[in-house]
Amino acid sequence: MTVWEYKVVEPNMKIRDRIEVMEREFNHVGEEGWELCSDHAGSYTFKRPRPA
């Protein structure tokens, strides 16, 4: 059985360049092994297998 850990990313809507900021954040979490598992109402949930 796989045990998952989750991370939620919510954009700061006050940042003018939020698309660039979110793209950079998505690339960063992707490099750490996180994968997008939910996109709901402006928040993004990522998951990855929990380290042993």
Side-chain angles (χ1 to χ4, degrees), residues 2 4 9 17 23 25-28 31 38-39 50-51:
T2 303
W4 299 94
V9 176
D17 299 325
E23 182 178 351
E25 179 69 14
F26 283 8
N27 287 334
H28 178 72
E31 290 168 357
S38 175
D39 169 5
R50 185 178 212 157

Side-chain angles (χ1 to χ4, degrees), residues 5-42:
E5 60 180 339
Y6 294 88
K7 179 176 194 166
V8 176
V9 176
E10 295 182 8
N12 181 343
M13 301 309 279
K14 295 178 183 177
I15 297 175
R16 194 180 88 204
D17 299 325
R18 68 181 168 271
I19 292 173
E20 290 179 20
V21 170
M22 290 304 295
E23 182 178 351
R24 206 169 26 247
E25 179 69 14
F26 283 8
N27 287 334
H28 178 72
V29 296
E31 290 168 357
E32 293 182 339
W34 295 93
E35 62 183 67
L36 182 65
C37 68
S38 175
D39 169 5
H40 182 70

